Amino acid sequence: RRKSWNDVLRAGVAGALGDLAEERGIALCQRFSAYGNALSTRSNAVDSLVKLWKRFPDRREEIAEHLVDFVKDREYLLRRRAVESCAGVDIPPVREALQGALEKDIMLLVRRTARLALAKMDRARGGAERIESLSADMESLKETLKECCAKISALEARVRPSGPRRK
């Protein structure tokens, strides 16, 4: 039997590790997310791992590998939480795991969350593509503006009288 106050403290620490953004928090979150810890501790550790995934690009593959395991966890509440948290981790292994959860999970809530997470990834991906498209449009408009300014300057030079102005 576990002592409940220790579980509450561990869950709080697991949740805070992602906000602290220290690299040593990755190993602690991986340890807190293991079987044998309370569900709240494991859930907070998964959320923190996603936050740490975003902050440490050189450790992303290791963290993503760990996150994929939670999408297939035996506790459906943790599966759902992992699927929900992974919506911000748009890399092929995680996307494949979410697609698998959408197609194969027996819990409707997990499948629905996977569908929403994949849709969020698609929207974010579309947003990045839209930003690139708008940036290209803006560059072409800047070039057009330069050409128009040059033409206006040339026209103004032709319209201005060369001699003294009459009153």
Side-chain angles (χ1 to χ4, degrees):
R1 182 176 164 110
R2 289 178 261 185
K3 295 181 179 177
S4 64
W5 286 111
N6 287 339
D7 289 339
V8 170
L9 290 173
R10 250 190 301 295
V13 168
L17 286 171
D19 294 328
L20 290 175
E22 294 227 6
E23 194 166 2
R24 63 185 171 181
I26 296 170
L28 288 170
C29 285
Q30 289 174 337
R31 195 173 80 209
F32 284 148
S33 64
Y35 287 114
N37 288 308
L39 180 62
S40 59
T41 303
R42 294 181 74 209
S43 294
N44 286 350
V46 168
D47 287 344
S48 290
L49 280 171
V50 170
K51 290 176 185 176
L52 293 169
W53 179 88
K54 292 176 182 175
R55 298 226 186 198
F56 296 103
D58 54 323
R59 304 273 310 264
R60 283 185 174 175
E61 188 175 318
E62 170 195 352
I63 295 171
E65 199 174 288
H66 202 71
L67 289 171
V68 166
D69 293 337
F70 294 112
V71 175
K72 302 171 189 170
D73 198 86
R74 67 179 173 208
E75 293 185 34
Y76 89 91
L77 289 173
L78 187 64
R79 280 196 317 267
R80 184 189 160 279
R81 184 77 173 259
V83 165
E84 187 175 42
S85 295
C86 285
V89 183
D90 192 4
I91 59 173
V94 173
R95 186 176 268 281
E96 290 168 11
L98 292 178
Q99 191 65 41
L102 177 63
E103 295 169 0
K104 299 175 187 170
D105 203 284
I106 60 172
M107 298 298 295
L108 180 63
L109 186 58
V110 175
R111 288 196 313 259
R112 180 178 179 270
T113 306
R115 186 177 65 247
L116 293 173
L118 287 167
K120 183 177 179 181
M121 285 179 172
D122 290 340
R123 278 194 310 274
R125 190 178 277 181
E129 291 169 1
R130 181 154 167 74
I131 288 171
E132 287 178 24
S133 171
L134 289 173
S135 294
D137 290 347
M138 189 168 67
E139 290 301 318
S140 70
L141 287 173
K142 283 180 182 179
E143 291 299 318
T144 305
L145 178 63
K146 286 179 185 177
E147 292 170 10
C148 289
C149 286
K151 288 180 182 178
I152 289 172
S153 295
L155 287 173
E156 284 178 342
R158 286 180 27 199
V159 171
R160 284 191 194 128
S162 58
R165 236 179 170 177
R166 288 191 206 175
K167 290 190 179 184

